[in-house]
Structures are given as structure tokens and as C-alpha cells.
Amino acid sequence: MSEVARPSGDHGRLRAVAALSAHYGVSGILTPYLPVWLAASGLAADAVGWTMAAGFALRAVCILGFGMVATLLLPAGGVAAGAALAAALVLVAATLIADPGTIGLLSVLAVGLVYGSIPLIESFANTVTLRSGHGYGRMRAWGSFAFMIGNVGMGALLILPHGAALLPYIAAGLLLCLCLSVLGPSWQPPTPRLDPRAAAAALAVAAPLLAPALLLQASHAFYYSFGTIWWIDHGVAKGSTGIVWGAAVAAEIVVYRYAARRLEKIPPATLLAACCLVAIGRWLLLATDPPLPLIILSQFGHAMTFGGAYLAAQTVIRTRIRPELHYMAQAGYAFLTTFVGLAGTTALIPWALRVTGADPWLLMAAIATAALAWLGLARIARAAP
């Protein structure tokens, strides 16, 4: 296995924590509240849905593109910094434009730029884990904590007159922090020019486990794109939505901070199966239209439906794929998760609801069940002579 260059002092654990925190802080604002901001800017409900789907699609393209650029051409830190700065400028520009359609287009571009650097930042954290022994989960916990602060803080601001209008400014500030945190010496692997086909082949080795992980994340599509609006429509006060989101991330932080090393010792297939079972129960509970206390209780399931599943995927990439291919492996997995899982599912939700008339949470439970079935069939196939 090829060695990965040791990150310099400027790109050690603290810089990785700063990058994770700034990125997920922005995510904690955009993921729940971008639809709310778009609706407040004048977009109709269908337009919000299509805008979110387009954002997921561009996000997937940027993830794959940034991973290829960082692997083949430019230092990863420069790519991530440029994307963060560009996203900040786009969000600020959107606030100066009154046309809802233009705001929607700019928000799609901002989403692509913000999330495109995911494989770079996660690969940096994994590089620090491999070379220094720092636990990935403990570093990632800081990102989840920042995500929770974004949830709770933005949710509290919604109770203010025109509080949603603050979203682009706060996100832009955090993006500038992200830009500064990744500037400096590169954490590029020693052999930057690689055949992209090699990364695709490496990812294929991990596909039997990453595919059900992809389906499990796809079951979160309604939750991410319409969850906040659904809660408000079902009687949850706007100011309480941040608490609802924060409960999920608090549970996720506990997993990353205190249970990550133990969970990483569990076979990834077993861990993913447990995560699927939790997801099925979580979505079925929400399908009963529960009161606020039970909604918050369901959010604790995020510790496994996202946290545990994400740990399993990162463990597979870190242990079964050569380090110099991590950028492309991260990009490939994130691309498929975003484009196929989130963008595709989000775009199909309105159509599926019209055709089936089913509760959206039941549809999400069905997708999680498909992920569990995949794992079961894969186990039967391995056991067959």
C-alpha cells in the first residue's frame, strides 16, 4: 500500500477539525433551512422541490469534479478554498436579487459549491487518522457539533421578522472561515496523477457494502428536503424546528465522540444492517403523525441511520481502498449518494406521492427496507457454495 504524505503542522488535527466544523456548520444551516429561505423568497412549493433536486444534482457533479481535479491536477486545499469563497460570493449576490427564479438558480450553484468539497475535507480527516492515530470519529464529532449549532441557531432566528433572510449572510461567513482553514500546505498524496479508472476499480471493490449505504442515505431524501416544512405544517413551531434538528445531531455527536472506535470494530455489513433496522423504525414512527415529543424521539435514530452508516462507509473506504485513491473513492461514493440517492429520490417524491397516495415516510421506510434486503441477499450469495 502506498504511503500518504504526512500532513504538515499547518494541516494537522486542528486544521482538519476547523475544516470539518466550518463545512458542517454551513450544512447545518442549508440542509434544514434552505427550503424555508427559498419559500420566503417567493418560490412556490413545487419550485422549491425542483430547486432542491437540482441542487442535489449539481452537488453530485461538483463532488465528482472536485475529487477528480484534486486527484489529477490541483492541490486539494486550493480547490476546497476556492469553492468556499465562490459559494460565499454567490449567496451574498442572491440576497441582492429580488427575482425568485434567479434566487433559485443561484442557490443551486451555491449548494454545488458548498458540498462539492466534501470528499476533499473527509479525505483530509482520514489522512490525519491514518498517519497520526487521531480517531476519525472524534474529529468528525466537532463537525456534527457545528451542524447542531447551525440547526438550533438558525431555527431560533426564524422567529424574528424576516429571520430567514439572515441565512445567506451567516452561511457566507462560515464559508469564509472554511476558506481560511484549508489554505496553506497541501495534503495531496505523493502521486497526484492517477488514472481515474483505477479509482473506479477500487470503488467497485467496496460496492457490495457502499450500495446499501447509498440506499440507506436515499431514505433520508424527504427528511432533508421537506422535513422542516412538514414539521411546520404539522404544528411544530418554527422556533422549535432547530431543537428538532439539534436532537438528531446531538445523538450523532454522541456516536462520533464516544462510540466510533467500538462501532468501527463491528463488520461494516452488520453495522449497516442495524442502521437499516433503526431507519425503518424511525420513518414508520413519523408516518403515524406523532406529537412533538415523539418527533424528537425519532430524531435520536439519526445516530445510527446517518452516523453509524457514515462511519461504516468511511471505514470501508479507509481500509479497503489505497490511500492515494481516497479522493476519487470519496468523490465516487458521495456522487452516487447525492445524485442517485438524494437528487433522484427528491425529484421522484412528488410523482411517487401522486401515484401511490402513500405517506412520504412510508416511502422512505420502503427504501430503507430495500437496503436491508440488499445486505441479506449479499450474505446469502456469499454463503452459497
Side-chain angles (χ1 to χ4, degrees):
M1 179 178 289
S2 301
E3 292 291 323
V4 178
R6 181 184 297 275
S8 68
D10 287 337
H11 280 86
R13 178 177 179 274
L14 291 179
R15 185 152 292 200
V17 167
L20 287 166
S21 299
H23 171 77
Y24 285 104
V26 176
S27 300
I29 295 171
L30 295 185
T31 298
Y33 296 111
L34 181 61
V36 177
W37 177 60
L38 292 173
S41 299
L43 270 72
D46 285 350
V48 171
W50 283 106
T51 299
M52 294 299 295
F56 283 134
L58 183 61
R59 166 180 169 175
V61 172
C62 288
I63 284 171
L64 188 61
F66 290 176
M68 292 181 67
V69 169
T71 299
L72 303 174
L73 298 173
L74 299 176
V79 176
L85 179 60
L89 294 175
V90 168
L91 283 171
V92 172
T95 65
L96 305 177
I97 299 174
D99 177 61
T102 305
I103 291 175
L105 290 175
L106 288 177
S107 69
V108 170
L109 177 58
V111 167
L113 292 169
V114 167
Y115 293 96
S117 58
I118 285 177
L120 310 183
I121 297 170
E122 291 289 4
S123 292
F124 180 30
N126 275 316
T127 296
V128 173
T129 298
L130 286 169
R131 297 299 298 167
S132 68
H134 292 298
Y136 166 82
R138 292 198 171 192
M139 290 189 291
R140 180 61 173 76
W142 285 102
S144 296
F145 180 74
F147 189 97
M148 181 176 66
I149 294 299
N151 293 166
V152 176
M154 196 66 225
L157 290 174
L158 286 185
I159 66 176
L160 298 176
H162 309 295
L166 297 173
L167 178 147
Y169 294 104
I170 299 173
L174 288 174
L175 285 167
L176 292 179
C177 293
L178 173 60
C179 180
L180 293 174
S181 69
V182 296
L183 288 175
S186 170
W187 61 87
Q188 198 82 4
T191 310
R193 295 187 178 277
L194 299 169
D195 183 351
R197 291 173 296 182
L203 192 61
V205 173
L209 288 176
L210 294 182
L214 182 156
L215 282 172
L216 182 56
Q217 294 313 308
S219 77
H220 291 68
F222 185 82
Y223 170 70
Y224 287 140
S225 295
F226 301 102
T228 304
I229 294 175
W230 187 88
W231 290 326
I232 292 173
D233 288 344
H234 286 72
V236 177
K238 288 183 178 180
S240 299
T241 56
I243 298 175
V244 175
W245 279 92
V249 185
E252 179 185 317
I253 290 172
V254 171
V255 166
Y256 285 138
R257 182 65 178 81
Y258 299 106
R261 289 188 181 274
R262 293 184 180 87
L263 291 177
E264 287 171 343
K265 294 178 181 179
I266 299 174
T270 303
L271 178 56
L272 281 173
C275 293
C276 290
L277 289 172
V278 175
I280 293 169
R282 183 185 181 189
W283 308 140
L284 289 178
L285 174 58
L286 289 174
T288 66
D289 196 10
L292 179 60
L294 288 181
I295 291 176
I296 294 176
L297 178 63
S298 76
Q299 290 291 79
F300 294 146
H302 201 70
M304 293 300 288
T305 66
F306 176 79
Y310 199 75
L311 276 175
Q314 292 298 320
T315 300
V316 169
I317 291 173
R318 187 168 61 249
T319 59
R320 303 191 184 186
I321 295 176
R322 301 203 321 263
E324 66 270 21
L325 297 176
H326 279 178
Y327 291 136
M328 283 301 298
Q330 291 276 1
Y333 171 65
F335 171 81
L336 292 173
T337 299
T338 303
F339 189 79
V340 179
L342 294 180
T345 307
T346 299
L348 290 174
I349 283 173
W351 171 83
L353 292 178
R354 285 195 297 268
V355 171
T356 65
D359 186 281
W361 299 115
L362 291 179
L363 294 178
M364 299 303 102
I367 296 174
T369 302
L372 183 62
W374 181 299
L375 289 166
L377 292 174
R379 182 169 183 174
I380 292 173
R382 288 195 304 272

